[in-house]
Amino acid sequence: MNPLVLSILISSLGLGTTITFIGSHWLLIWMGLEINTMAIIPLMIQQQHPRAVEATTKYFLTQATASALLLFAGTTNAWTTGQWDITEMMNPTSATLITIALALKIGLAPMHFWLPEVLQGLNLITGLVMSTWQKLAPFAILLQLHHLLNPHLLMLFGILSIIIGGWGGLNQTQLRKILAYSSIAHLGWMVTILHFAPNLTTLNLILYITLTTSMFLLFNTFNSTKINSIALSTTKSPLLTIITLTTLLSLGGLPPLTGFMPKWLILQELTKQDLMIPATIMAMATLLSLFFYLRLCYVTTLTLSPNPMTHMTTWRTKPTQPNLILTSTASISILLLPLTPSMLMLVS
């Protein structure tokens, strides 16, 4: 892609998200989300591959539906209250419609069906943008409206997402689909606690973006998109293989790694709110996600690829791409648990 076009698209992505962050008028927020969607579509379709075209079409139709629903909800609220301000969401019907529209935008269950299929049709770097940056604008709206949204609906979406995110990833062999279901499960944790402790949602979102960035960059470094190809990672870089192992365990939420922090704090807050049954269901459903993370760990570090290989062997060569972002995100993914009090102070 032409560097000038690429810089315009990346600037538009940043502009759309920034407009949504700073906007308080529903039309301005809707405009920011539309700029965001339109800017990523050329990045998705740049491969000129049938899978990429299919993924882009699915993404466009899904996002257009969510945007239309969001605009309808904002218009309905303005019609009943006479206010276009985002904080004046007094109409319960509009609040419910906005929750459903934003759930469709970010891929919460049961509106999640588009996310694994779309991610599977993209390359790893575009998939990284889809899984991280594209979540920021909808969560900015959810965090501003957290006290006005229906907590029962959010809890339902959250628990469904955690269960489906774990269940859907069990029989997958494609790494991008596994990361998509991992994303659905993590979004479920964020949405469940949104009404009761929005600061924990912010903390979870930051850590999710860090962990997911680390995983996508690791898979991109190994040039792996399937489980059987990641078995060769030990021969390419033993150190990166160990980092992959610890990052996967952190994504699964095992102590003493960073990924344990948000799950621990969210379960603690739900217990304080006397929501023992949802907390138990969430903790049990996380075991499903942990299973496929452990499966990836096993394939990455404890197995070697079978000898009659069906794909080209890659030689261990010096890295040609800068690894500063990867080393930073991997370090944060592993070492941040002792700094939990400081992190809570930062987001509160």
Side-chain angles (χ1 to χ4, degrees), residues 293-313:
Y293 293 132
L294 288 174
R295 181 172 163 229
L296 279 177
C297 291
Y298 175 76
V299 171
T300 307
T301 56
L302 299 175
T303 61
L304 288 173
S305 188
N307 262 332
M309 289 181 289
T310 56
H311 52 274
M312 191 182 296
T313 305

Side-chain angles (χ1 to χ4, degrees), residues 143-164:
L143 286 165
Q144 288 183 73
L145 296 174
H146 71 92
H147 56 289
L148 302 171
L149 301 177
N150 186 344
H152 302 296
L153 186 62
L154 291 173
M155 185 72 69
L156 176 66
F157 283 170
I159 292 175
L160 267 178
S161 297
I162 295 167
I163 294 170
I164 290 172

